[in-house]
Amino acid sequence: MKTRILFFVGGVLAAAVAKLACGCPRLREISVKGLARGMQVAEKAKGQFQQMKKEAEGMCKEAKACAAAQQQGKTCCSQSAEKDPEHQA
């Protein structure tokens, strides 16, 4: 029971502090800039994830085509490129 009262009082105090903080223009400006920066980072991460997903899908498609070619007794493009000295690092 005692901890519930402490949590309630803590919540009331936190709400009061938050209300006072929202009234401060400088703190509001800092908060808005921080939120905007966080949104930019999230958007950039989302774009990078989409790019990685596209690349992975392409690699998967290529691997499936190569496996199908091998089952038919043919060589696939990536195997011949690996044997080519110009494509070796």
Side-chain angles (χ1 to χ4, degrees):
M1 184 72 163
K2 194 174 188 179
T3 57
R4 289 184 180 188
I5 293 172
L6 289 175
F7 280 125
F8 176 76
V9 171
V12 170
L13 287 174
V17 169
K19 182 167 175 65
L20 290 173
C22 287
C24 178
R26 179 70 179 140
L27 186 58
R28 179 177 167 79
E29 180 184 339
I30 291 170
S31 299
V32 169
K33 284 183 180 179
L35 183 59
R37 179 70 177 138
M39 291 171 68
Q40 287 174 342
V41 168
E43 190 65 33
K44 185 176 180 180
K46 185 178 177 182
Q48 289 176 345
F49 174 75
Q50 291 297 329
Q51 182 64 30
M52 290 187 321
K53 184 178 175 184
K54 259 188 193 176
E55 290 175 7
E57 287 172 348
M59 291 171 66
C60 184
K61 186 177 179 181
E62 182 180 323
K64 285 180 182 179
C66 187
Q70 286 178 343
Q71 285 181 348
Q72 295 176 354
K74 301 176 183 177
T75 59
C76 63
C77 299
S78 61
Q79 286 181 339
S80 60
E82 289 173 1
K83 293 178 184 177
D84 189 1
E86 291 181 10
H87 290 92
Q88 290 181 352

